Amino acid sequence: MSLITRRRLITAGVATAAGATGLGVAASLSRRYGLVPPDCKGVYGPGETLTYGVRQMLGRNAMAREFERSMISEKPFANEIAPPTKAFKEMQARGFVDWRLTVDGMVEHPMTLSLADLKSMPVHSQITEVSCEEGWSYIAEWIGTPLSNVLNAAVLKPGVKFIYYHAVEPYLWETIDVDEAMHPQTFLTMGMNDGDLPVGFGGPLRLRVPRQLGYKSLKFVTHITAVDSVKNIGKGLGSVDPEYGYSWFAGI
Ligand SMILES: Nc1nc2c(c(=O)[nH]1)N[C@H]1C(S)=C(S)[C@@H](COP(=O)(O)O)O[C@H]1N2
Ligand SMILES: [Mo]
């Protein structure tokens, strides 16, 4: 649907809301056009809903800023050491040849991909910034294949609304909406600054979501699931972040 049509619908929804029975109509219209985030309830709910709704209406296709090569940070700050598990270290010792990414859920063709499979897809690069919610940031070149290539190969079934992804650490998971998942800058990243993606930065495989804060760019990604709702995942808030007071939608 075009932006104009969507805007008209919203205007119509808001105008209807002015009427006595309109609130419910406005709410259901907003939900229908994907303007309501999963963490829309609670103290911060109205703010989250406003931020996300505006982004969805005006910036669904906006691009994250890309930088010149000369702007790449000399000493990027890795916020995470390798997952300290024996299994991870063994895979690392074997050069991650047995690392697998599982793609399942509401897809026509569930699949399990190796790093070699991913590298055989069209590979692109972007020079973008990682910004942590705690205030620091750095710029790096990220090399990988857009997540859309994998999702298009798996073929999303009608009704998919979110992509749910896990890190190798079982307690770390995130979701993004389908717009973010299909955005050309959302990359399954295997390389950084002309080399393999170092483990400290999420190697061998990290989902870079450059339009959102660093915590959406999960490192050590092993599993991607297409879903139509986040209600039954964790506390139903869309990711672990809102459970700790951070926004599900972390647009920058
Ligand atoms: N698997 C995993 N991914 C993660 C994290 C983590 O602890 N584990 N931290 C997140 C947070 S809060 C930020 S800000 C960025 C930090 O990225 P960096 O280490 O490349 O600086 O990674 C994100 N991805
Ligand atoms: Mo962070």
Side-chain angles (χ1 to χ4, degrees):
M1 170 168 300
S2 77
L3 181 60
I4 296 302
T5 336
R6 194 182 298 124
R7 261 199 208 143
R8 266 198 205 125
L9 265 164
I10 301 317
T11 317
V14 171
T16 322
T21 57
L23 260 178
V25 176
S28 76
L29 269 176
S30 303
R31 234 169 266 283
R32 178 143 160 232
Y33 290 99
L35 305 178
V36 180
D39 54 346
C40 63
K41 301 212 171 81
V43 188
Y44 301 111
E48 297 303 341
T49 305
L50 188 64
T51 312
Y52 181 61
V54 168
R55 160 67 161 265
Q56 287 300 85
M57 282 192 285
L58 304 178
R60 218 176 266 239
N61 302 317
M63 299 294 279
R65 180 170 171 201
E66 297 203 17
F67 297 84
E68 297 294 325
R69 191 160 290 277
S70 62
M71 301 277 290
I72 291 176
S73 306
E74 265 175 47
K75 289 200 174 75
F77 178 65
N79 185 32
E80 164 92 356
I81 46 165
T85 64
K86 192 164 167 266
F88 187 90
K89 288 199 176 116
E90 283 170 4
M91 280 197 274
Q92 186 175 7
R94 290 190 293 271
F96 294 115
V97 286
D98 37 12
W99 189 271
R100 293 291 179 273
L101 174 71
T102 303
V103 184
D104 60 12
M106 292 173 64
V107 294
E108 300 291 348
H109 309 293
M111 49 180 76
T112 300
L113 302 166
S114 66
L115 297 173
D117 294 332
L118 288 166
K119 284 178 183 165
S120 73
M121 294 182 166
V123 167
H124 297 280
S125 118
Q126 56 170 287
I127 299 174
T128 53
E129 189 168 44
V130 172
S131 306
C132 173
E133 74 293 352
E134 286 171 10
W136 49 265
S137 64
Y138 67 88
I139 294 169
E141 179 185 26
W142 303 94
I143 304 143
T145 196
L147 176 61
S148 63
N149 286 337
V150 170
L151 298 179
N152 286 334
V155 184
L156 296 180
K157 289 188 177 168
V160 172
K161 292 221 168 73
F162 300 97
I163 299 299
Y164 165 39
Y165 50 109
H166 301 249
V168 78
E169 303 108 301
Y171 51 88
L172 270 181
W173 57 276
E174 281 289 344
T175 64
I176 47 177
D177 63 30
V178 170
D179 296 309
E180 197 75 64
M182 299 302 280
H183 188 273
Q185 290 172 311
T186 300
F187 274 23
L188 279 165
T189 306
M190 296 155 281
M192 182 184 181
N193 297 341
D194 294 328
D196 279 341
L197 180 62
V199 163
F201 291 94
L205 189 63
R206 178 176 195 174
L207 189 69
R208 268 294 283 142
V209 184
R211 302 197 306 168
Q212 298 201 35
L213 286 174
Y215 58 77
K216 304 298 279 192
S217 290
L218 219 55
K219 305 171 180 189
F220 325 119
V221 172
T222 54
H223 199 145
I224 285 176
T225 306
V227 295
D228 59 356
S229 164
V230 298
K231 249 185 237 154
N232 299 320
I233 310 175
K235 295 189 179 165
L237 298 173
S239 58
V240 280
D241 319 309
E243 298 178 10
Y244 296 99
Y246 294 104
S247 310
W248 167 77
F249 174 68
I252 41 182

